[in-house]
Amino acid sequence: MVSHLMLRNVAYVSLSSTYRQLAQLLRTTSFDMYPLVESPVRMVLLGSVSRRELQLMLIRKGVTIVDDESGEEESGDDGEVWWSHTHRRHTVTEGVSLNDSMEHEVVDFTGVLVDPSPFQLVERTSLHKVHTLFASLGLRQAYVTSVGRLVGVVGLKEVGLFLFFFIFLLRSAVSAFFFFF
């Protein structure tokens, strides 16, 4: 079943996320798509939104994200990047520059392109069906839901690892069978 493959600790965006949480999420993860859920408590899957859309929204709001590893930066309206820990009207914490008034402001998703129907699987989907769907539809990831609530995500990487180990075990079993006869 897909519940054996899925990752349960999912990086997500909720309708109650703040700009700080969103900026931190983008800074600490590198996924192409993020599930959009109603709230962290209910986890009702509303759709998915691309990393690029979230970055563009933050840039339009003037939020700066500095990637510590690559040294690359994305900046807001004025194009300035704040490197010091404090400045007159901006605070930088762990590579994120936020206007003081935005610190706890809830994200406004108006104008953000949200895919209202990302590919979803139920927890009891067979591994054979998961492989077939990924192969035939060219999927890179699918969200796993239970009664509409996000419970995990399964990606092409997990499906590939499953196939590798399955084939390895199958070959080992066949070799052992013929070894005894």
Side-chain angles (χ1 to χ4, degrees), residues 33 36 48-50 53-54 60 109-116:
M33 297 293 286
L36 177 64
S48 65
V49 62
S50 74
E53 278 292 314
L54 296 173
R60 283 192 298 267
F109 286 97
T110 305
V112 175
L113 295 176
V114 175
D115 177 3

Side-chain angles (χ1 to χ4, degrees), residues 173-181:
V174 169
S175 297
F177 178 78
F178 285 114
F179 178 74
F180 289 110
F181 290 103

Side-chain angles (χ1 to χ4, degrees), residues 96-107:
V96 178
S97 173
L98 290 171
N99 186 312
D100 290 337
S101 64
M102 292 175 55
E103 190 78 18
H104 301 289
E105 186 179 334
V106 175
V107 174

Side-chain angles (χ1 to χ4, degrees), residues 3-174:
S3 60
H4 300 304
L5 289 182
M6 72 180 185
L7 303 174
R8 293 185 185 275
N9 188 14
V10 181
Y12 63 87
V13 180
S14 78
L15 293 179
S16 60
S17 293
T18 65
Y19 284 103
R20 172 178 269 318
Q21 291 168 334
L22 181 58
Q24 286 297 103
L25 177 71
L26 292 177
R27 186 181 166 281
T28 58
T29 62
S30 59
F31 303 115
D32 292 334
M33 297 293 286
Y34 294 90
L36 177 64
V37 297
E38 182 182 351
S39 72
V41 175
R42 293 185 37 134
M43 294 296 286
V44 174
L45 183 63
L46 301 175
S48 65
V49 62
S50 74
R51 177 181 196 83
R52 190 69 190 143
E53 278 292 314
L54 296 173
Q55 289 171 328
L56 289 172
M57 177 185 56
L58 288 176
I59 288 170
R60 283 192 298 267
K61 288 296 265 183
V63 176
T64 302
I65 303 172
V66 179
D67 185 353
D68 291 340
E69 291 180 13
S70 68
E72 294 178 7
E73 58 200 41
E74 296 184 17
S75 57
D77 299 356
D78 55 8
E80 292 185 55
V81 177
W82 304 100
W83 294 97
S84 62
H85 285 285
T86 57
H87 198 273
R88 282 181 292 173
R89 44 188 191 98
H90 286 72
T91 304
V92 177
T93 306
E94 298 177 21
V96 178
S97 173
L98 290 171
N99 186 312
D100 290 337
S101 64
M102 292 175 55
E103 190 78 18
H104 301 289
E105 186 179 334
V106 175
V107 174
D108 178 13
F109 286 97
T110 305
V112 175
L113 295 176
V114 175
D115 177 3
S117 57
F119 199 84
Q120 298 175 48
L121 300 168
V122 294
E123 287 180 289
R124 301 187 60 77
T125 304
S126 73
L127 297 177
H128 178 264
K129 185 175 271 190
V130 171
H131 170 259
T132 303
L133 288 168
F134 269 73
S136 62
L137 298 176
L139 297 176
R140 292 177 55 195
Q141 72 178 14
Y143 299 115
V144 182
T145 57
S146 175
V147 195
R149 295 180 179 182
L150 181 67
V151 293
V153 64
V154 63
L156 189 56
K157 178 180 174 182
E158 290 79 25
V159 174
L161 285 173
F162 161 73
L163 284 176
F164 173 77
F165 287 116
F166 179 75
I167 290 170
F168 176 76
L169 290 173
L170 186 61
R171 285 184 181 167
S172 298
V174 169

